[in-house]
PDB file of all heavy atoms in Angstrom:
ATOM      1  N   PHE B 446    -115.555  24.160  42.556  1.00 98.00           N
ATOM      2  CA  PHE B 446    -116.013  24.224  43.947  1.00 98.00           C
ATOM      3  C   PHE B 446    -114.833  23.891  44.858  1.00 98.00           C
ATOM      4  O   PHE B 446    -113.893  23.215  44.443  1.00 98.00           O
ATOM      5  CB  PHE B 446    -117.153  23.224  44.193  1.00 98.00           C
ATOM      6  CG  PHE B 446    -118.424  23.576  43.473  1.00 98.00           C
ATOM      7  CD1 PHE B 446    -118.816  22.892  42.333  1.00 98.00           C
ATOM      8  CD2 PHE B 446    -119.226  24.615  43.923  1.00 98.00           C
ATOM      9  CE1 PHE B 446    -119.984  23.209  41.655  1.00 98.00           C
ATOM     10  CE2 PHE B 446    -120.393  24.941  43.259  1.00 98.00           C
ATOM     11  CZ  PHE B 446    -120.775  24.247  42.114  1.00 98.00           C
ATOM     12  N   GLY B 447    -114.902  24.353  46.116  1.00 97.00           N
ATOM     13  CA  GLY B 447    -113.803  24.084  47.045  1.00 97.00           C
ATOM     14  C   GLY B 447    -113.922  22.703  47.683  1.00 97.00           C
ATOM     15  O   GLY B 447    -114.773  21.899  47.302  1.00 97.00           O
ATOM     16  N   ASN B 448    -113.041  22.459  48.659  1.00 97.00           N
ATOM     17  CA  ASN B 448    -113.011  21.168  49.340  1.00 97.00           C
ATOM     18  C   ASN B 448    -113.662  21.310  50.709  1.00 97.00           C
ATOM     19  O   ASN B 448    -113.543  22.338  51.357  1.00 97.00           O
ATOM     20  CB  ASN B 448    -111.566  20.726  49.523  1.00 97.00           C
ATOM     21  CG  ASN B 448    -110.768  20.887  48.257  1.00 97.00           C
ATOM     22  OD1 ASN B 448    -110.948  20.157  47.310  1.00 97.00           O
ATOM     23  ND2 ASN B 448    -109.911  21.903  48.220  1.00 97.00           N
ATOM     24  N   CYS B 449    -114.291  20.237  51.138  1.00 97.00           N
ATOM     25  CA  CYS B 449    -114.971  20.280  52.432  1.00 97.00           C
ATOM     26  C   CYS B 449    -113.940  20.314  53.566  1.00 97.00           C
ATOM     27  O   CYS B 449    -112.984  19.549  53.553  1.00 97.00           O
ATOM     28  CB  CYS B 449    -115.851  19.046  52.572  1.00 97.00           C
ATOM     29  SG  CYS B 449    -116.715  18.974  54.133  1.00 97.00           S
ATOM     30  N   THR B 450    -114.122  21.221  54.533  1.00 97.00           N
ATOM     31  CA  THR B 450    -113.256  21.215  55.717  1.00 97.00           C
ATOM     32  C   THR B 450    -114.044  20.816  56.964  1.00 97.00           C
ATOM     33  O   THR B 450    -113.641  21.121  58.085  1.00 97.00           O
ATOM     34  CB  THR B 450    -112.556  22.563  55.921  1.00 97.00           C
ATOM     35  OG1 THR B 450    -113.505  23.601  55.698  1.00 97.00           O
ATOM     36  CG2 THR B 450    -111.403  22.761  54.982  1.00 97.00           C
ATOM     37  N   ASN B 451    -115.149  20.154  56.778  1.00 97.00           N
ATOM     38  CA  ASN B 451    -115.915  19.570  57.881  1.00 97.00           C
ATOM     39  C   ASN B 451    -116.332  20.593  58.932  1.00 97.00           C
ATOM     40  O   ASN B 451    -116.240  20.346  60.129  1.00 97.00           O
ATOM     41  CB  ASN B 451    -115.121  18.433  58.541  1.00 97.00           C
ATOM     42  CG  ASN B 451    -114.674  17.386  57.528  1.00 97.00           C
ATOM     43  OD1 ASN B 451    -115.233  17.299  56.433  1.00 97.00           O
ATOM     44  ND2 ASN B 451    -113.683  16.612  57.876  1.00 97.00           N
ATOM     45  N   GLN B 452    -116.757  21.751  58.477  1.00 97.00           N
ATOM     46  CA  GLN B 452    -117.196  22.796  59.408  1.00 97.00           C
ATOM     47  C   GLN B 452    -118.717  22.865  59.501  1.00 97.00           C
ATOM     48  O   GLN B 452    -119.252  23.542  60.357  1.00 97.00           O
ATOM     49  CB  GLN B 452    -116.636  24.151  58.972  1.00 97.00           C
ATOM     50  CG  GLN B 452    -115.122  24.225  59.067  1.00 97.00           C
ATOM     51  CD  GLN B 452    -114.564  25.497  58.471  1.00 97.00           C
ATOM     52  OE1 GLN B 452    -114.706  25.751  57.273  1.00 97.00           O
ATOM     53  NE2 GLN B 452    -113.945  26.309  59.294  1.00 97.00           N
ATOM     54  N   TYR B 453    -119.395  22.231  58.574  1.00 97.00           N
ATOM     55  CA  TYR B 453    -120.852  22.054  58.605  1.00 97.00           C
ATOM     56  C   TYR B 453    -121.667  23.342  58.538  1.00 97.00           C
ATOM     57  O   TYR B 453    -122.800  23.390  59.041  1.00 97.00           O
ATOM     58  CB  TYR B 453    -121.257  21.202  59.815  1.00 97.00           C
ATOM     59  CG  TYR B 453    -120.393  19.983  59.977  1.00 97.00           C
ATOM     60  CD1 TYR B 453    -119.820  19.649  61.200  1.00 97.00           C
ATOM     61  CD2 TYR B 453    -120.109  19.167  58.882  1.00 97.00           C
ATOM     62  CE1 TYR B 453    -118.992  18.537  61.333  1.00 97.00           C
ATOM     63  CE2 TYR B 453    -119.289  18.053  59.010  1.00 97.00           C
ATOM     64  CZ  TYR B 453    -118.734  17.751  60.234  1.00 97.00           C
ATOM     65  OH  TYR B 453    -117.916  16.655  60.356  1.00 97.00           O
ATOM     66  N   GLU B 454    -121.139  24.372  57.925  1.00 97.00           N
ATOM     67  CA  GLU B 454    -121.936  25.578  57.697  1.00 97.00           C
ATOM     68  C   GLU B 454    -123.091  25.264  56.734  1.00 97.00           C
ATOM     69  O   GLU B 454    -124.164  25.840  56.814  1.00 97.00           O
ATOM     70  CB  GLU B 454    -121.070  26.694  57.100  1.00 97.00           C
ATOM     71  CG  GLU B 454    -120.067  27.310  58.052  1.00 97.00           C
ATOM     72  CD  GLU B 454    -120.724  28.246  59.054  1.00 97.00           C
ATOM     73  OE1 GLU B 454    -121.126  29.358  58.697  1.00 97.00           O
ATOM     74  OE2 GLU B 454    -120.829  27.840  60.222  1.00 97.00           O
ATOM     75  N   CYS B 455    -122.839  24.324  55.809  1.00 98.00           N
ATOM     76  CA  CYS B 455    -123.842  23.929  54.811  1.00 98.00           C
ATOM     77  C   CYS B 455    -125.096  23.392  55.477  1.00 98.00           C
ATOM     78  O   CYS B 455    -126.221  23.807  55.185  1.00 98.00           O
ATOM     79  CB  CYS B 455    -123.254  22.863  53.887  1.00 98.00           C
ATOM     80  SG  CYS B 455    -122.506  21.473  54.771  1.00 98.00           S
ATOM     81  N   GLU B 456    -124.859  22.458  56.406  1.00 96.00           N
ATOM     82  CA  GLU B 456    -125.942  21.784  57.108  1.00 96.00           C
ATOM     83  C   GLU B 456    -126.807  22.810  57.862  1.00 96.00           C
ATOM     84  O   GLU B 456    -128.031  22.670  57.942  1.00 96.00           O
ATOM     85  CB  GLU B 456    -125.280  20.796  58.076  1.00 96.00           C
ATOM     86  CG  GLU B 456    -126.128  19.992  58.961  1.00 96.00           C
ATOM     87  CD  GLU B 456    -125.240  19.188  59.925  1.00 96.00           C
ATOM     88  OE1 GLU B 456    -124.676  19.758  60.872  1.00 96.00           O
ATOM     89  OE2 GLU B 456    -125.122  17.982  59.717  1.00 96.00           O
ATOM     90  N   ALA B 457    -126.145  23.859  58.387  1.00 97.00           N
ATOM     91  CA  ALA B 457    -126.870  24.852  59.191  1.00 97.00           C
ATOM     92  C   ALA B 457    -127.812  25.703  58.345  1.00 97.00           C
ATOM     93  O   ALA B 457    -128.800  26.219  58.854  1.00 97.00           O
ATOM     94  CB  ALA B 457    -125.874  25.752  59.919  1.00 97.00           C
ATOM     95  N   VAL B 458    -127.521  25.863  57.054  1.00 97.00           N
ATOM     96  CA  VAL B 458    -128.365  26.737  56.237  1.00 97.00           C
ATOM     97  C   VAL B 458    -129.285  25.970  55.284  1.00 97.00           C
ATOM     98  O   VAL B 458    -130.184  26.558  54.690  1.00 97.00           O
ATOM     99  CB  VAL B 458    -127.533  27.728  55.382  1.00 97.00           C
ATOM    100  CG1 VAL B 458    -126.646  28.573  56.270  1.00 97.00           C
ATOM    101  CG2 VAL B 458    -126.728  27.002  54.323  1.00 97.00           C
ATOM    102  N   CYS B 459    -129.064  24.680  55.124  1.00 98.00           N
ATOM    103  CA  CYS B 459    -129.835  23.930  54.128  1.00 98.00           C
ATOM    104  C   CYS B 459    -131.326  24.043  54.425  1.00 98.00           C
ATOM    105  O   CYS B 459    -131.783  23.688  55.513  1.00 98.00           O
ATOM    106  CB  CYS B 459    -129.415  22.465  54.126  1.00 98.00           C
ATOM    107  SG  CYS B 459    -130.476  21.453  53.062  1.00 98.00           S
ATOM    108  N   PRO B 460    -132.116  24.537  53.480  1.00 98.00           N
ATOM    109  CA  PRO B 460    -133.547  24.693  53.742  1.00 98.00           C
ATOM    110  C   PRO B 460    -134.238  23.357  53.940  1.00 98.00           C
ATOM    111  O   PRO B 460    -135.321  23.302  54.519  1.00 98.00           O
ATOM    112  CB  PRO B 460    -134.065  25.401  52.485  1.00 98.00           C
ATOM    113  CG  PRO B 460    -133.065  25.114  51.429  1.00 98.00           C
ATOM    114  CD  PRO B 460    -131.738  25.010  52.132  1.00 98.00           C
ATOM    115  N   LYS B 461    -133.644  22.285  53.462  1.00 98.00           N
ATOM    116  CA  LYS B 461    -134.248  20.964  53.637  1.00 98.00           C
ATOM    117  C   LYS B 461    -133.575  20.211  54.776  1.00 98.00           C
ATOM    118  O   LYS B 461    -133.800  19.006  54.940  1.00 98.00           O
ATOM    119  CB  LYS B 461    -134.173  20.173  52.316  1.00 98.00           C
ATOM    120  CG  LYS B 461    -134.905  20.872  51.182  1.00 98.00           C
ATOM    121  CD  LYS B 461    -136.395  21.076  51.507  1.00 98.00           C
ATOM    122  CE  LYS B 461    -136.977  22.252  50.749  1.00 98.00           C
ATOM    123  NZ  LYS B 461    -138.346  22.601  51.195  1.00 98.00           N
TER     124      LYS B 461
END
Side-chain angles (χ1 to χ4, degrees):
Chain B
F446 292 104
N448 313 288
C449 179
T450 43
N451 306 340
Q452 294 173 297
Y453 314 131
E454 289 285 286
C455 51
E456 178 186 74
V458 302
C459 173
K461 300 301 154 189

